[in-house]
Each structure stands twice: as structure tokens, then as C-alpha cells.
């Protein structure tokens, strides 16, 4: 999983594409950041230059003073290692033997080992351990044979199997960038006197608002004034596929906050409102619910945060629609897809729409005839495109690697879906449905009030928790998925080991670890009449072992005995509690990361979009 970008320009319009390459690549850093590299055609000399190394983009740019160069066309790459350790030789771009062809790649070439053997026999000299390098040598091989680079490119594509977004520059055709897409995302950005390629939209937003989302199996090239796309040897008519994006660039930037993560936590009130408005003014939810109604088995899946949103759906579906739903972690799809048939519906939750585990789950269910509903934040991404119906969240681009705002917008979209299913099944009446939807309008307000009420206390709390190596986050019912999500956030960005459990289950093992000072966070969710007394018991059990006890709850939990710190997020019903309980947990994770000197936007070993199984 990596990010790629490419730009080609008419020097009379854009005298130097280097700033576009560097800036574009920096916005892709969330996709991986263990090495970076550039290949470009230098202004004037038309030489092909390559700089690459291990390290974050800024480090590589500074090391080679890349920004001091002038280029008419170039490609660049930020890497998250799959094949071969992160070092200079394994960093992209990869070159052919004569260093005339440079390739950047996101994905995995499955059959690279055989291809490499074949090429080595033919005398090609490999420099790296990567799967990608075979592409450069295949191109070289066929280009020698055919003496036509595009034909060589097509022959190369016929040989490689797997997932790829490729961008290629060839010294013999200095203003052209070749590309191909299969599974891994790739888009073309259309400019005036230039065209560009990238793995996502935000990285191109500073330069253009017009995009073509490439489909699997498409390949071709861009030149400053030309876009040429083919599929299976046939010309693809792309003009009607051009979409204009209205996101502002500011949306994709930090908006004055020190980190994207904080910005994204803080903008939850707004994006929840935007998602709400989008959902009430489209028929996405109705169309998806129709599909669920026709199914006799419903599954829901996702990875990481998206899986936790799936668990919230299970809760609301039981509450409002009395509908059993089977949730599973996307990478475990084999066990569950066996149960699927044409009467099955699968809901696939994925903010990026590109997570390979979720995509594979989708495909396994689809192969058995199941109907698929996608919940995604990225228009035109793979999961929505392969689904029967899609409900879009309207969170705007999320740059922080740890998901924050997309989680709550997923929860909102899934709550709409559960309510619609409830009314369609006759479990709730039409007027109850209308009232509940009306109440959901306050999701953003719940987040906003909770942020206001909790920010200060969280700042104090992190002073207390920063030395801890471990913590528990416990909840009951609706509090359980929210606890899982809170613990994931703390782990991801602060590297403190946080574990979530159903509070009742904590007696069956986890409590053995508790000793004086061990932090235990309890989530006080509604309904109080069912949960408060039980949670009170769990707090006392932990307190008796000397735990440091913290409550993050809705109004009514303030008087819990044995609590050292209580964060009262306001008076919220079951419908709105996720929007109030989640932000303090996100802030806790964020503040812990900052106080411990971690980079919350780019946690070590993680990537925003995981496109390898
Ligand atoms: C990665 C990210 C997580 C995210 C998960 C699923 O692991 O680091 O933050 O929750 O992928 O991503 P998706 O785009 O499918 O929601």
C-alpha cells in the first residue's frame, strides 16, 4: 500500500512540475511513509533523473534537494513496504537495466517471482527485492522487441497478475506518463496545459477539480493536452466520466489545527450535519433498506474502525428493527461467506472504499449471489463500485491515519439504515420513524456539546494517564462497540496498550491484571435504568483492586460511587449517545499521543488504507 502521483505539463503553461509532484506526494503520505522517491524529466536536458530513499517524504526531498530541480514531467511514490525491507534500493521508482524507464506502483504483483526468474534468464539485472521491479524490466524487454513503448506496455500488462496502480515514465517519450489500474485506486486530474495522476483526489485538489476515476482494467497515457484510455484493446470514451469535485482544498488541509487528527475530531459536528442533510435529501438509505428487506440473512463487515461501526449497527438493528445481524471482521470472511446465498445481504463498511480485506469479503459474498450494500466516504472507490447499493457518508477527506470523523458519520448512516429497516418491517410506526430521524439531526450538537464539556478534563486526565502502560475501557450494550473504538484509538496513536471489554465480562479474566493505579475507563451509556446499577457494581469491583476509575458517560452517571473522575457529556438518549461518548475518547487518545511525543497523524507501522491482505 502506497501512494503514487504523476504530472506532465507544457512548459509554457507550467514551467516546472516539481512543486506539484512534491506537494501532491505529501498529501498522499497517509498511505504509507517508510520511503519515498521521484523520477522526472529534467527541463532543458530532458534527462531522466531519479532520487529515492528510505524515510518520510520531507526527509527524502531535503536530502536530495529535490525542490531545486526543474522538471517537465515526473512521477513520485510514497511507500509502505510489502515486498522487501524499507531501504533505498527497494524504494520506488524502479528502473530497467538502462535506466531509461521508471516505474512507481501501488499494489502487489502476485506472479513477480516467476517473471523475475524469466527476466533474469534473459540477462536482466535486478537491483531490488520488490515485486515492482519486474514491470520495469518487462517494459524494457518488450520495448526492445517491439520498438514501440505503448505496445510494450500492453504486453507487460498481459503478463502481470495482481493489484496495481502504475505510473511510468520513459525517457524516449518525455512528455508522456503511462498508467494502468487494476484493484488499486488511480485517478486522472485534468488541467489546463497539464494532466496528472494520483491515488486520490485531495492530492490533486490544489491544481484541478476535474477528475476521471479509472476503472479496473483500464490503461493508457497522459500528455499535457491529451488523455488516452484503453481497456482490452478498445478505446475508452472518457469525456462523459469527468466529475467535478466541490470539496475545498481547505477541507483537505489542517484548518489551523496542529494535527489533522484534532481538526477531524473538531469538525465532527459539521460533518455529522452534512451527512445528515445528505442522507435525508437522497434516497440512498431507502434503496439500501429495500435490499435488506428482501434478504433472510444479514451480515455486516469492515476492518478496524469500520468494524466497530458495524457493531453499532447490530445494536440499533436489534433495537429498532428486531433484525438479527451477523457482524464479522472483514479479513475473517471465509468462515462467514460459506453461509451466504442469493437470499443474503452483506453490508460492507469502509471509509476509503479500498480496504482489500473488505473488498475480498464483498467479492466472496457476491460470488455466492449475495446482495451488497456499501457504506463509504469515497465516491467512485472500489467497494461502492462493486456493490449493488451505496450509502455515502459525507465526512470530506480524512487525512489522519486513525479514523475519527468517518466513524461517527458511518454510525449515523447505519442508524438511518436500521431505522428505515425498522419502519419497513413495521417494528416502528411511520410517525415514530419520522420523530427518530428528526432527533438524529442533533448528532452534531451532541458531539459539539460533548467536546466542549470534556476538553479541559481530558487535558488534566492525560497528565495522570501518561505514565500508564495499560488501560481498560469497559462498557455495556451500546457502550461495548464504543469502548472497542476508544481502545483502538488509544492504541493506534499513543501506543499505550488499551483493551476494551464488555464490563460484565471483565470479571472473567481481565480483572486479574488490575493492581493499584491501573486505569479503567467506564462508558456510561443509556438506558440508565438497565445499565447504571450494573456498571456501578463493575466500578466497585475495580476500585476494590485499587484501579484508577474514570467514567465517560451521559448525564445520570455523575453520582457513581468509586469514580475518581467523571466526564458528563450531557443528557443524551440511546440514539444520540455515540456522538457524545466517542469524542472524549478520541480526544483522550489524541492528547496522550501529543504529550508522549508521538505523531498522531502518522502512527508508526500503520497506514490509512490497507490494500494488502
Ligand atoms: C486501516 C486504518 C484504520 C481503518 C481501517 C479500515 O487499518 O488505519 O483507521 O479503520 O484501515 O479502513 P476503511 O477505509 O476500510 O474504513
Amino acid at each position: 500500500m502506497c501512494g503514487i502521483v504523476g504530472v506532465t505539463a507544457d512548459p509554457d503553461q507550467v514551467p516546472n512540475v516539481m512543486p506539484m509532484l512534491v506537494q501532491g506526494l505529501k498529501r498522499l503520505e497517509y498511505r504509507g511513509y517508510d520511503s519515498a522517491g521521484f523520477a522526472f524529466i529534467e527541463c532543458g536536458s530532458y534527462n531522466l533523473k531519479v532520487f529515492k530513499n528510505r524515510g518520510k517524504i520531507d526527509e527524502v526531498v531535503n536530502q536530495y534537494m529535490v525542490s531545486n530541480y526543474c522538471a517537465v514531467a515526473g512521477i513520485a511514490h510514497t511507500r509502505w513496504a510489502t515486498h522487501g525491507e524499507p531501504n533505498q534500493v527497494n524504494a520506488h521508482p524502479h528502473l530497467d537495466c538502462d535506466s531509461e524507464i521508471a516505474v512507481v506502483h501501488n499494489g502487489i504483483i502476485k506472479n513477480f517471482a516467476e517473471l523475475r526468474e524469466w527476466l533474469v534468464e534473459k540477462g536482466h539485472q535486478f537491483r531490488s527485492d520488490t515485486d515492482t521491479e519486474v514491470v520495469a524490466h518487462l517494459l524494457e524487454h518488450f520495448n526492445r522487441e517491439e520498438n514501440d513503448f505503448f505496445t510494450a506496455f500492453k504486453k507487460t500488462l498481459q503478463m502481470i497478475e495482481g493489484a496495481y496502480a502504475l505510473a511510468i515514465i520513459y525517457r524516449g517519450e518525455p512528455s508522456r506518463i503511462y498508467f494502468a489500474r487494476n484493484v488499486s485506486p488511480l485517478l486522472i486530474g485534468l488541467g489546463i496545459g497539464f494532466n496528472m495522476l494520483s491515488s486520490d483526489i485531495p492530492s490533486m485538489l490544489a491544481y484541478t477539480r476535474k477528475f476521471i476515476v479509472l476503472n479496473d482494467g483500464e490503461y493508457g497515457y497522459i500528455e499535457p493536452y491529451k488523455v488516452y484510455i484503453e481497456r482490452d484493446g478498445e478505446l475508452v470514451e472518457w469525456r462523459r466520466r469527468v466529475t467535478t469535485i466541490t470539496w475545498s482544498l481547505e477541507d483537505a488541509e489542517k484548518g489551523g489545527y496542529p494535527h489533522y487528527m484534532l481538526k477531524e475530531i473538531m469538525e465532527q459536528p459539521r460533518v455529522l450535519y452534512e451527512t445528515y442533510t445528505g442522507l435525508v435529501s437522497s434516497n440512498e438509505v431507502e434503496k439500501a433498506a429495500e435490499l435488506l428487506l428482501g434478504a433472510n440473512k444479514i451480515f455486516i463487515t469492515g476492518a478496524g474502525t469500520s468494524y466497530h461501526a458495524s457493531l453499532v449497527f447490530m445494536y440499533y438493528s436489534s433495537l429498532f428493527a428486531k433484525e438479527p445481524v451477523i457482524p464479522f471482521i472483514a479479513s475473517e470472511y471465509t468462515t462467514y461467506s460459506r453461509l451466504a446465498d442469493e437470499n443474503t445481504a452483506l453490508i460492507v463498511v469502509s471509509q476509503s472504499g479500498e480496504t482489500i480485506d473488505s473488498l475480498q469479503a464483498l467479492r466472496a459474498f457476491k460470488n455466492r449471489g449475495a446482495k451488497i450494500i456499501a457504506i463509504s466516504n469515497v465516491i467512485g472507490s472500489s467497494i461502492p463500485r462493486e456493490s449493488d447499493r451505496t450509502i455515502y457518508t459525507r465526512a470530506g477527506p480524512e487525512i489522519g491515519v486513525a479514523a475519527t470523523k468517518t466513524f461517527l458519520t458511518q454510525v449515523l448512516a447505519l442508524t438511518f439504515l436500521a431505522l428505515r429497516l425498522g419502519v419497513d418491517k413495521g417494528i416502528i410506526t411511520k410517525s415514530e420513524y419520522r420523530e427518530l430521524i428528526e432527533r438524529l439531526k442533533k448528532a452534531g450538537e451532541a458531539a459539539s456539546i460533548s467536546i466542549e464539556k470534556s476538553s479541559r478534563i481530558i487535558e488534566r486526565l492525560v497528565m495522570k494517564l501518561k505514565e500508564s502502560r495499560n488501560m481498560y475501557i469497559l462498557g455495556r450494550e451500546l457502550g461495548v462497540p464504543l469502548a472497542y473504538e476508544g481502545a483502538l484509538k488509544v492504541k493506534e496513536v499513543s501506543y499505550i496498550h488499551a483493551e476494551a471489554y464488555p464490563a460484565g465480562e471483565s470479571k472473567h479474566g481481565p480483572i486479574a491484571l488490575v493492581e493499584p493505579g491501573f486505569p479503567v475507563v467506564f462508558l456510561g451509556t443509556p438506558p440508565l435504568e438497565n445499565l447504571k446499577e450494573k456498571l456501578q457494581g463493575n466500578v466497585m469491583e475495580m476500585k476494590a483492586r485499587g484501579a484508577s476509575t474514570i467514567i465517560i458517560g451521559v448525564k445520570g452517571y455523575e453520582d457513581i460511587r468509586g469514580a475518581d473522575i467523571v466526564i458528563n457529556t450531557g443528557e443524551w438518549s440511546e440514539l444520540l449517545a455515540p456522538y457524545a461518548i466517542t469524542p472524549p475518547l478520541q480526544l483522550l487518545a489524541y492528547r496522550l499521543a501529543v504529550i508522549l511525543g508521538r505523531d498522531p497523524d502518522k502512527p508508526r507501522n500503520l497506514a490509512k488504507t490497507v490494500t494488502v491482505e
Side-chain angles (χ1 to χ4, degrees), residues 94-159:
H94 290 286
L95 303 173
D96 64 323
C97 300
D98 294 342
S99 302
E100 299 249 300
I101 302 164
V103 178
V104 292
H105 167 219
N106 166 31
I108 289 180
I109 312 284
K110 281 201 295 205
N111 58 338
F112 84 98
E114 304 134 59
L115 292 172
R116 185 175 171 132
E117 211 172 296
W118 184 76
L119 286 158
V120 167
E121 268 170 34
K122 300 211 168 306
H124 288 262
Q125 306 229 320
F126 278 76
R127 301 175 177 104
S128 76
D129 309 319
T130 64
D131 52 332
T132 306
E133 196 180 345
V134 296
V135 178
H137 292 283
L138 283 171
L139 285 164
E140 178 179 37
H141 170 81
F142 290 120
N143 194 35
R144 278 186 198 148
E145 239 178 49
E146 302 290 335
N147 214 10
D148 176 66
F149 198 79
F150 194 29
T151 313
F153 182 41
K154 291 194 256 191
K155 288 205 151 180
T156 300
L157 294 177
Q158 279 161 13
M159 303 280 287

Side-chain angles (χ1 to χ4, degrees), residues 7-20 41-44 46 69-73 192-194:
V7 191
T8 174
D10 171 358
D12 288 339
Q13 297 286 338
V14 182
N16 182 7
V17 302
M18 203 51 100
M20 295 170 79
I41 305 286
E42 220 182 338
C43 304
Y46 283 72
Y69 286 85
C70 175
V72 292
I192 298 167
F194 72 90

Side-chain angles (χ1 to χ4, degrees), residues 303-306 349-353 355 358 401-403 410 492 606-608 610:
T305 293
S306 294
V349 187
S350 174
Q351 138 355 78
S352 62
T355 299
S358 309
V401 166
Q410 287 170 344
E492 280 178 311
L606 299 181
K608 181 86 185 148
V610 180

Side-chain angles (χ1 to χ4, degrees), residues 247-262:
W247 291 345
S248 67
L249 179 59
E250 205 203 321
D251 270 348
E253 288 179 338
K254 285 186 200 152
Y257 289 99
H259 298 102
Y260 285 111
M261 184 179 180
L262 185 59

